[in-house]
Amino acid sequence: MRKRMSILAGALAVGLALTGCSSGGSGGSDPDNPDQVEVFTWWASGSEKAGLDALVEEFNSQYPDIEFINAAVAGGAGSNAKAALASRLESGNPPDTFQAHAGAELSDYIAAEQIQDLSNLYDELGLKDVFPADLIERLTVDGKIYSVPSNIHRANVTWVNTEVLESAGIDPMKAPESIDAWISDLQKVKDSGVDAPLAIGTEWTQMQLLENVLIADLGAEGYAGLWDGSTAWDSDGVKTAVDHYDQLMNFVNQDYAGLDWDAASQIVIDGNAAYNVMGDWAEAAFTQAGQTWGTEYTTWPTPGTDGVFDFLADSFTLPVGAPHEEAATDWLTTISSAEGQKAFNTVKGSIPARTDADPADYGEYQQSAMESFANDTIVSSLAHGAAAPIAWSSDISSAVGKFGSDRDKDALIQALVAAAESALS
Ligand code: GAL
C-alpha cells in the first residue's frame, strides 16, 4: 500500500511539474479531452500568480467541469515566455489561449495569422459596450478584434518608501516636479546614507525606466511620435532623456542584472531603497507584503509625467489550431465578465478594462489609477508591448542592456536610431 501511494505521489509530482509553470513544452494538456483548457501566461509566482489564482477560482465556479492547465513560464514582462510561446506557435503546438499585450505586440501575432478573429464573441457577449472605445480601437485590426483584455496597467508609476524619504528630510507625499528635481532628491537620499536609492532590476525594467524618462522629457505627443517616425530618435528631447537616464543610473543597485521586477520592488518594501519605477502590478506586491498606500509606501506618476497615463493591457487570445477551442472560449468569457475582472484585478493591482466596475471594490491606489485613466492623456508602453512590435522593442532592450555596462550615451542614441530605422523602413 505504501509503495502504491509513493508511486501515486511521484506521478502527481510529475503531473504538477508538467501543468504548473511548464517550460513551455507541450504544457501537459490532452488534446482528446475536451474538458481542459491550457492557459499560457508569465504569471508564475508571487503576487502575479495570486492574481491568476483568483481568476482561475472564478473560472472554476463559472465552468466547474473544465480543468485549468497552467502553462505559465516564469519571467517578468514575458521575458522568457514570449520566446517559449513563439517556438510553440512555430511548431504548431499552440496553447488554448495565451496572454499578450493590446497594441503593437498583438499585431505581430495577427500578421503571422497565429490568432483568431473574436468579433463574433464580442457581439455575443456585448463586449463593445463594456470596454472603453479607446481600448477597443487598440485591439482592432482591419475591423476585427483578436483578444479579450483582462485588465489595464499603468507603467509610469514611481513607488516610494515614505520612511526612507522622511529620514532624508524629504516630504514623500510631494512628488518632485521634474526629473532634475528628482535627481537632486536622489542625491539627498544618498547623502542620508542610502547607497542605492533607486531600485532597479533586469534589462526590461531598465527599458521601462528609460520609457518613463522619454515621456517626461518629450511629453505625451513627442513620445507618441517616436513610434510613427514623427519624433526623431536623435532629437534634442531624446538626447536630454538619455542624459537624464544616465544620471539616474548613477543611483541604482549594482546587482540589477539578476533581479526581476519583484526583487527590485522588494528592495523598496524592505526600506533599502527610496524609489522604484514600475508598473502597477507592484501595487499587489506592496499590499501582499502587508503595506498600506499612504503609510509605509506611496506612489506618484514618475516625475515629469503627471497627467499622462502610460498604458498597457493584458489580453487573451484564441490561437489558430487551439486544441480546446470551446473551453478557451469559456476562459475568454470568464475574463470578460464583470465577476472575472473583479476577481482578477482586485488582486493584481491593475484596474478593470470594463467600464461598469465599482471603484469602491478597489483599494485607494487603484481608485487613483481609475481616475487617471479616465482623465489623463494616454500613451502606449514600450516595455509592455503596446507601443512597438516585438522585434523593435527587443532591439531597444538590447541597446539599453548594453548601456548598463558601457554607459556610452552616443552609442545608445545610435542604436536607438538604427532600431527605429529598421522597424519603420
Ligand atoms: C507586464 C504584464 C503585467 C505584469 C508585468 C510583470 O508585461 O502586462 O501583467 O505581469 O509584465 O511581469
Side-chain angles (χ1 to χ4, degrees):
M1 185 64 189
R2 184 171 296 158
K3 187 156 184 217
R4 185 174 149 69
M5 276 188 55
S6 69
I7 290 169
L8 266 179
L12 197 66
V14 171
L16 282 174
L18 278 173
T19 55
C21 309
S22 82
S23 60
S26 72
S29 79
D30 171 4
D32 297 325
N33 177 353
D35 294 332
Q36 291 186 332
V37 64
E38 189 201 356
V39 178
F40 185 100
T41 69
W42 53 86
W43 297 327
S45 63
S47 57
E48 299 188 308
K49 167 102 172 23
L52 180 62
D53 288 347
L55 184 55
V56 173
E57 197 181 322
E58 177 60 31
F59 177 68
N60 287 338
S61 84
Q62 292 186 17
Y63 298 97
D65 298 333
I66 299 178
E67 184 192 355
F68 170 83
I69 310 267
N70 189 353
V73 173
S79 42
N80 303 319
K82 286 182 194 170
L85 176 67
S87 77
R88 287 193 61 173
L89 296 176
E90 269 154 34
S91 63
N93 173 31
D96 295 312
T97 178
F98 65 83
Q99 170 191 7
H101 290 120
E105 179 182 306
L106 208 55
S107 311
D108 284 336
Y109 300 114
I110 298 168
E113 297 181 354
Q114 289 167 328
I115 53 178
Q116 301 190 39
D117 175 17
L118 298 172
S119 304
N120 287 342
L121 186 69
Y122 269 71
D123 290 343
E124 207 179 291
L125 300 173
L127 297 182
K128 285 192 185 148
D129 301 330
V130 294
F131 293 133
D134 255 15
L135 180 58
I136 294 280
E137 203 179 293
R138 283 179 154 87
L139 293 167
T140 306
V141 173
D142 294 334
K144 297 175 182 164
I145 308 188
Y146 293 83
S147 69
V148 175
S150 50
N151 59 305
I152 289 167
H153 269 305
R154 184 176 197 177
N156 60 319
V157 187
T158 298
W159 304 81
V160 178
N161 183 300
T162 53
E163 201 183 313
V164 174
L165 283 203
E166 276 157 6
S167 308
I170 299 169
D171 179 356
M173 300 305 163
K174 265 204 210 134
E177 278 178 10
S178 63
I179 300 275
D180 283 321
W182 187 31
I183 288 170
S184 35
D185 281 357
L186 277 155
Q187 188 59 53
K188 272 189 211 154
V189 182
K190 194 167 179 163
D191 293 344
S192 79
V194 180
D195 264 0
L198 179 58
I200 201 153
T202 187
E203 199 170 283
W204 69 264
T205 72
Q206 297 156 41
M207 176 159 74
Q208 188 169 338
L209 176 62
L210 176 64
E211 157 182 344
N212 275 249
V213 179
L214 285 166
I215 297 169
D217 285 329
L218 296 169
E221 209 184 315
Y223 170 82
L226 292 171
W227 313 114
D228 63 12
S230 56
T231 300
W233 281 88
D234 54 1
S235 60
D236 287 347
V238 174
K239 286 182 183 155
T240 305
V242 166
D243 194 48
H244 275 147
Y245 176 67
D246 182 47
Q247 293 181 57
L248 291 171
M249 289 298 284
N250 290 335
F251 295 99
V252 304
N253 44 296
Q254 290 312 304
D255 59 348
Y256 57 72
L259 306 183
D260 209 332
W261 74 267
D262 47 352
S265 294
Q266 190 65 39
I267 302 175
V268 177
I269 292 172
D270 292 342
N272 294 323
Y275 313 102
N276 173 230
V277 170
M278 192 35 59
D280 50 14
W281 41 92
E283 167 66 4
F286 278 85
T287 53
Q288 287 166 33
Q291 300 204 343
T292 305
W293 190 69
T295 309
E296 291 94 346
Y297 75 101
T298 192
T299 57
W300 334 295
T302 296
T305 72
D306 197 12
V308 181
F309 189 106
D310 187 16
F311 154 96
L312 65 126
D314 295 302
S315 215
F316 282 81
T317 57
L318 180 59
V320 171
H324 307 101
E325 256 198 53
E326 209 179 307
T329 307
D330 296 340
W331 172 257
L332 298 175
T333 303
T334 292
I335 285 179
S336 70
S337 68
E339 298 78 10
Q341 297 237 328
K342 181 174 156 187
F344 178 62
N345 288 296
T346 45
V347 180
K348 182 70 166 45
S350 36
I351 60 174
R354 289 180 69 110
T355 50
D356 55 359
D358 182 356
D361 290 333
Y362 292 82
E364 273 187 275
Y365 166 75
Q366 284 157 303
Q367 292 183 17
S368 79
M370 285 180 198
E371 213 179 298
S372 296
F373 185 65
N375 298 309
D376 287 359
T377 305
I378 312 282
V379 296
S380 298
S381 169
L382 161 65
H384 304 283
I390 293 175
W392 192 358
S393 67
S394 305
D395 285 351
I396 297 176
S397 183
S398 307
V400 168
K402 184 168 164 290
F403 180 78
S405 39
D406 67 18
R407 301 296 289 273
D408 183 336
K409 290 185 270 183
D410 292 337
L412 174 57
I413 289 169
Q414 273 169 30
L416 294 172
V417 169
E421 268 166 12
S422 94
L424 294 170
S425 62

